[in-house]
Amino acid sequence: MSNHLTFIHTYTPAKNASPRVLLMLHGTGGDETSLISFAGVLDPDAAILSVRGKVLEDGAPRFFRRLQEGVFDMEDLHFRTKELADFIVAAGEIYSFNVKDVIAVGYSNGANIASSVLFSRPEVLGGAILFRVMVPFVPEDNLDLSGKPILLLEGKYDPLVPLENAEHLAILLQDRNAKVSLRWIELDHRIGRSELNDAQWWLSQLVD
Ligand code: MLT
């Protein structure tokens, strides 16, 4: 296992001996600074591992290539998913955290790669909060996500994530035994303050 951390990232240690790590994954055009303020709302004691996607689309960082809006380059998605999963494991060794304590917090493109990690390398995440996420691909039927808490926050008026796609994702997760909550927000692709508060409450209810 390589000890080199191959993504640009920031790491802020936990406070008050919290074991939790929030893995922040930005949307297209963001970077490792974009979601830091969310982390403080979600759990001010958690460690924060915030990562920059390596793919550039007209200069805008992303976590994997797409062929057009909502159409993913699947070969690149699988390659980048493995790369991110390996990074999470290596970061756990270097910063001394347990990957079971990692909650991925992804927005849009960052949420899409987080769901891809859940579908292909579920052992590297303890759970996820996914804002404006869609189905990355249909996973194997025998994938077991037992015990993984996953919160999906979808915009009722989101032009990028069709309602059926969001519902399909919730079913795919549920059918594989994840503990899924799907919330419909009275918004579009943008994130609102009140859903952050909802996510904070959801996170505070999780027990190890
Ligand atoms: C994606 O490419 O991951 C989705 O279309 C969301 C986005 O616009 O980044």
Side-chain angles (χ1 to χ4, degrees):
M1 170 75 52
S2 158
N3 271 349
H4 295 295
L5 295 182
T6 58
F7 281 80
I8 294 174
H9 68 282
T10 60
Y11 181 76
T12 310
K15 300 182 195 76
N16 300 317
S18 170
R20 180 172 289 152
V21 180
L22 298 178
L23 171 70
M24 311 306 289
L25 301 167
H26 62 81
T28 301
D31 65 21
E32 68 281 12
T33 65
S34 306
L35 302 184
I36 294 287
S37 62
F38 285 14
V41 175
L42 293 171
D43 183 346
D45 285 339
I48 307 167
L49 177 61
S50 193
V51 183
R52 186 190 303 184
K54 289 186 189 184
V55 168
L56 290 179
E57 183 183 86
D58 298 328
R62 288 175 52 84
F63 286 95
F64 58 88
R65 289 198 191 93
R66 62 180 162 185
L67 305 176
Q68 61 185 67
E69 182 61 63
V71 181
F72 303 153
D73 175 334
M74 295 311 293
E75 195 182 332
D76 192 58
L77 174 61
H78 291 304
F79 174 76
R80 302 288 171 190
T81 298
K82 179 184 178 307
E83 206 179 29
L84 183 62
D86 290 344
F87 167 81
I88 296 166
V89 173
E93 288 169 3
I94 287 180
Y95 297 122
S96 303
F97 60 76
N98 191 325
V99 293
K100 81 169 181 33
D101 294 318
V102 176
I103 302 287
V105 180
Y107 168 55
S108 189
N109 180 247
N112 294 340
I113 196 151
S115 62
S116 181
V117 171
L118 283 166
F119 283 172
S120 10
R121 294 279 298 278
E123 73 284 358
V124 306
L125 292 177
I129 299 176
L130 304 176
F131 296 89
R132 312 303 186 266
V133 60
M134 52 177 90
V135 176
F137 57 90
V138 174
E140 304 286 323
D141 286 341
N142 63 1
L143 171 72
D144 184 15
L145 297 174
S146 294
K148 302 256 186 240
I150 299 170
L151 176 61
L152 308 179
L153 297 132
E154 304 285 15
K156 264 196 199 167
Y157 314 109
D158 190 337
L160 302 182
V161 184
L163 298 191
E164 322 73 74
N165 188 294
E167 271 159 8
H168 186 203
L169 179 61
I171 290 166
L172 291 173
L173 290 164
Q174 235 151 31
D175 285 353
R176 288 157 185 81
N177 304 317
K179 289 194 267 175
V180 186
S181 304
L182 169 58
R183 308 259 164 89
W184 286 104
I185 312 299
E186 292 284 334
L187 274 177
D188 47 27
H189 205 64
R190 292 166 299 174
I191 301 181
R193 175 70 202 206
S194 69
E195 64 187 292
L196 273 183
N197 294 339
D198 278 0
Q200 182 273 329
W201 186 86
W202 178 89
L203 197 54
S204 71
Q205 302 301 301
L206 298 185
V207 280
D208 289 331

